[in-house]
Structure formats: structure tokens, C-alpha cells
């Protein structure tokens, strides 16, 4: 009997005590518990130096920069023409090297003549570097969808890298936001197509030499003008699709006609192709007008292989076709946007 009374008394006290304990606060009301370690870490973070704003470019000529993106240190080169005036917005062209190349090759006037052309025409030209297993950055590739190499295999965020480069340079230079363009050779041209798909609000137009569109999906937010230049005898990215005998990747590349038709459809180009240039060894045709004033243009050379028209092949340094100049055609196309 005594034990029964004792148990009842203990139970009553337990219930009474529970009624005196306030209910737990909600997630919004619960005060954050701090510890000396957490306080120390927060103070350390507050005192840590913040990333400095990019330093403006104040002189013409060659400049090299690096930035961190996607856990990688990425690099790019810039050429600023002598006529650059910080008070006047200037056009900018991003030029992407081919697969197995690098930014130094793309910037070498012996092969492409782009630095001299940018100086003459008066635009900023940028040479980003792809990803490579080598510390030198050589033998680099771009993740352009279907192609190429470790950039594709590792799903490198090259679109995000390009966004970071554009943002960085817009803080360093007075870039005209309505005149930013992309061009590339081979794998670099393929990346230009991907940028047109995913960064249509940034790039007014793109040009691809010897690189077709291998994007698995494409839904540009606004129309993007496209210029495609290709040789009928390209032995790497075959004009009618597939991989040529000289290809390193042996990917099943999309054909030139399918690429052009795709962009005519995306840009709402309803007019039939119209021949606008015909010279010995080359011709060009355009599809315009398209939605938003865009244009889709194709230029074809009979010979020249996998090379930049008007330039020289990097491998063997054989000249490309001289029937047309890629630099002249591309800048004429860009400057009319």
C-alpha cells in the first residue's frame, strides 16, 4: 500500500512538472545557439580579404588573365586595339581554338591573322583556353555537346566559364553589350553553336569554321545570327556528316546542311536560300530575313580541307583556301548586326 501511494505521488509530481516546462519554440523562434568555435570561425571569415574587383585595362596590346571556375583555374588572352577609347563602347569577339589546340595557337597570326585583323577593324578579341591534362594548357578541348575529348567526357562547364570571362572583361573594358560575338575553329566552332543555344542573350551572332552543331538540345531565348564556313573536302568534320579519315575523335558529326537547316528553323527563317557571293572556288548563300532581324548564312569552299580560309593549317602549316577570307567574311557578318 505504501509503495502504491509513493508511485502515485511520483507520477503526480512528474505530470505537474511537465506542465511547468514551456513548450519548445518553433524553428522561427528558436534562438541560434553559438559556441566559441563558431564565433571564432565567423570572425575569421569576416576578417578574410574579399576578392578585389577586376583592374581596368588601360593600355592596348596583349593581356593574360586567369580565373577560378568549376574548381579549375582557367585562362584567357585578350588583345586590345590601339584605337580603344575607355569612353567609347567597343565590340568584342571571343575566338575559340580547335580541339587539341590552345589559346596561343588561336592568337598566333601565322595561322589565323586574328590579332592583326582586330587591330585593323577595331574590336577586342579574346582567346579563352579549353581544358587540358597538361599544365601548359596545350592539347585542350571544349565541351560542345557531341565533341570533344576530356572536356566532354568530364562534362566541363565551358558555358559557365565563358559567362565568367564575359563578366570579367565587362568590368575591365568598356564593352558594347549589344556587340558581343563568338567564333571558333572546329571544336571551337561547335562550342560557338552551344553558346548560341545557351547564351543567346549575350551573343548577337556566332560564326563557325569547320565545326557543325552537335548540341543535344537547343532552345535559344532570342534569335542569334549564324555564319557557317566549311570546305567540301574537309577530311575531319565531313561536309555531309560523319567522321573523316583524319579525325581524332571519330565522332558522328552532324552534317553542314542539317546544321544550317536547324538554325534556319530556330531563327524562323522562312525565305529560301539566296546566293549572295560566287567566286572561283567558293560561294555563299543566306537565309533572311529571319525572326528578330537575324540571318543564317553558309559559305562553302571547294578545297582547303579542315582549315581557316585565308589562314594556314596548324598541322603541317599548309595554307587553307585563298578563295575567301574567313576573317573578312566573319567581321562583315558581325559588324552588320
Amino acid at each position: 500500500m505504501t509503495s502504491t501511494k509513493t508511485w502515485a505521488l511520483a507520477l503526480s509530481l512528474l505530470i505537474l512538472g511537465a506542465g511547468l516546462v514551456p513548450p519548445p519554440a518553433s524553428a522561427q523562434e528558436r534562438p541560434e545557439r553559438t559556441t566559441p568555435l563558431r564565433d571564432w570561425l565567423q570572425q575569421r571569415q569576416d576578417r578574410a580579404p574579399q576578392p578585389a574587383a577586376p583592374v581596368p585595362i588601360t593600355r592596348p596590346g596583349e593581356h593574360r588573365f586567369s580565373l577560378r571556375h568549376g574548381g579549375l583555374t582557367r585562362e584567357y588572352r585578350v588583345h586590345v586595339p590601339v584605337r580603344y577609347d575607355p569612353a567609347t563602347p567597343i565590340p568584342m569577339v571571343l575566338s575559340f581554338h580547335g580541339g587539341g589546340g590552345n589559346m596561343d595557337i588561336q592568337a598566333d597570326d601565322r595561322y589565323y591573322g586574328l590579332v592583326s585583323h582586330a587591330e585593323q577593324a577595331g574590336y577586342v578579341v579574346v582567346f579563352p583556353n579549353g581544358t587540358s591534362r597538361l599544365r601548359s594548357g596545350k592539347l585542350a578541348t571544349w565541351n560542345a555537346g557531341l565533341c570533344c575529348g576530356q572536356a566532354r567526357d568530364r562534362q566541363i562547364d565551358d558555358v559557365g566559364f565563358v559567362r565568367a570571362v564575359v563578366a570579367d572583361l565587362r568590368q575591365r573594358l568598356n564593352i558594347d553589350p549589344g556587340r558581343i560575338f563568338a567564333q571558333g575553329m572546329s571544336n571551337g566552332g561547335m562550342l560557338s553553336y552551344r553558346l548560341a543555344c545557351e547564351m543567346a542573350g549575350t551573343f548577337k551572332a556566332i560564326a563557325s569554321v569547320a565545326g557543325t552543331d552537335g548540341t543535344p538540345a537547343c532552345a535559344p531565348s532570342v534569335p542569334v545570327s549564324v555564319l557557317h564556313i566549311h570546305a567540301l573536302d574537309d577530311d575531319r568534320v565531313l561536309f555531309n556528316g560523319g567522321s573523316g579519315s583524319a579525325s581524332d575523335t571519330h565522332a558522328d558529326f552532324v552534317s553542314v546542311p542539317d546544321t544550317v537547316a536547324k538554325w534556319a528553323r530556330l531563327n524562323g527563317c522562312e525565305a529560301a536560300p539566296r546566293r549572295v557571293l560566287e567566286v572561283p572556288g567558293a560561294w555563299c548563300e543566306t537565309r533572311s530575313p529571319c525572326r528578330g532581324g537575324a540571318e543564317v548564312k553558309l559559305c562553302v569552299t571547294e578545297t582547303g580541307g579542315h582549315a581557316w580560309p585565308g589562314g594556314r593549317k596548324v598541322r603541317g602549316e599548309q595554307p587553307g583556301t585563298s578563295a575567301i577570307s574567313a576573317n573578312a567574311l566573319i567581321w562583315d557578318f558581325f559588324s552588320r548586326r
Side-chain angles (χ1 to χ4, degrees):
M1 184 69 179
T2 303
S3 60
T4 302
K5 290 182 178 180
T6 302
W7 171 249
L9 179 61
L11 182 60
S12 300
L13 290 174
L14 179 61
I15 295 172
L16 180 61
L20 296 175
V21 176
S26 66
Q28 291 79 11
E29 297 170 342
R30 184 181 295 119
E32 182 181 1
R33 295 181 180 179
T34 61
T35 65
L37 177 59
R38 180 180 297 181
D39 291 341
W40 179 82
L41 290 173
Q42 183 62 52
Q43 292 171 8
R44 183 184 177 91
Q45 182 178 347
D46 293 342
R47 290 195 301 266
Q50 298 301 312
V55 177
I57 297 174
T58 57
R59 58 180 178 83
E62 304 298 317
H63 304 269
R64 289 174 177 259
F65 299 101
S66 64
L67 55 82
R68 292 287 294 177
H69 179 78
L72 302 172
T73 298
R74 306 294 300 269
E75 296 185 323
Y76 66 94
R77 292 179 54 164
V78 183
H79 178 82
V80 180
V82 170
R83 72 175 70 179
Y84 172 64
D85 178 2
T88 305
I90 190 170
M92 180 169 69
V93 176
L94 277 72
S95 189
F96 300 97
H97 61 77
N102 61 72
M103 64 183 180
D104 294 329
I105 290 176
Q106 193 73 4
D108 193 329
D109 261 9
R110 292 178 300 170
Y111 304 124
Y112 296 97
L114 284 163
V115 170
S116 296
H117 189 270
E119 192 66 56
Q120 174 188 355
Y123 60 86
V124 170
V125 60
V126 185
F127 304 99
N129 210 85
T131 51
S132 170
R133 293 185 176 88
L134 306 177
R135 294 185 63 183
S136 65
K138 296 179 180 179
L139 301 179
T141 55
W142 301 105
N143 178 11
L146 177 67
C147 184
C148 289
Q150 71 156 352
R152 174 203 59 199
D153 297 342
R154 293 171 55 191
Q155 289 296 294
I156 298 296
D157 182 18
D158 280 324
V159 174
F161 168 52
V162 173
R163 284 197 180 97
V165 169
V166 172
D168 189 56
L169 284 172
R170 289 191 63 184
Q171 295 184 76
R172 297 182 187 275
L173 294 163
N174 187 2
I175 301 298
D176 185 341
R179 292 188 294 168
I180 300 177
F181 310 100
Q183 65 178 27
M185 170 67 192
S186 190
N187 183 203
M190 298 173 191
L191 177 66
S192 297
Y193 274 117
R194 184 171 183 184
L195 296 175
C197 294
E198 300 183 35
M199 293 182 65
T202 298
F203 293 101
K204 190 73 172 178
I206 66 107
S208 177
V209 177
T212 52
D213 184 351
T215 55
C218 183
S221 57
V222 294
V224 179
S225 292
V226 168
L227 168 61
H228 190 96
I229 302 174
H230 216 106
L232 287 173
D233 66 346
D234 192 321
D235 56 356
R236 293 180 181 272
V237 181
L238 300 183
F239 188 90
N240 288 314
S243 177
S245 59
S247 173
D248 294 325
T249 62
H250 299 292
D252 187 17
F253 295 114
V254 177
S255 73
V256 172
D258 285 348
T259 293
V260 173
K262 171 182 177 176
W263 279 94
R265 183 176 66 255
L266 288 170
N267 284 330
C269 308
E270 297 181 358
R274 176 170 48 92
R275 189 68 57 96
V276 292
L277 175 69
E278 192 157 10
V279 296
W283 53 266
C284 298
E285 64 182 23
T286 185
R287 291 167 170 81
S288 65
C290 308
R291 191 172 63 252
E295 178 183 1
V296 175
K297 186 174 182 179
L298 169 65
C299 291
V300 177
T301 63
E302 295 177 1
T303 61
H306 196 70
W308 192 268
R312 298 185 70 85
K313 293 182 181 180
V314 176
R315 301 179 183 182
E317 297 195 6
Q318 297 175 346
T321 180
S322 59
I324 55 175
S325 165
N327 290 343
L329 283 171
I330 291 172
W331 181 244
D332 175 73
F333 187 78
F334 286 168
S335 62
R336 289 187 287 104
R337 300 304 115 200

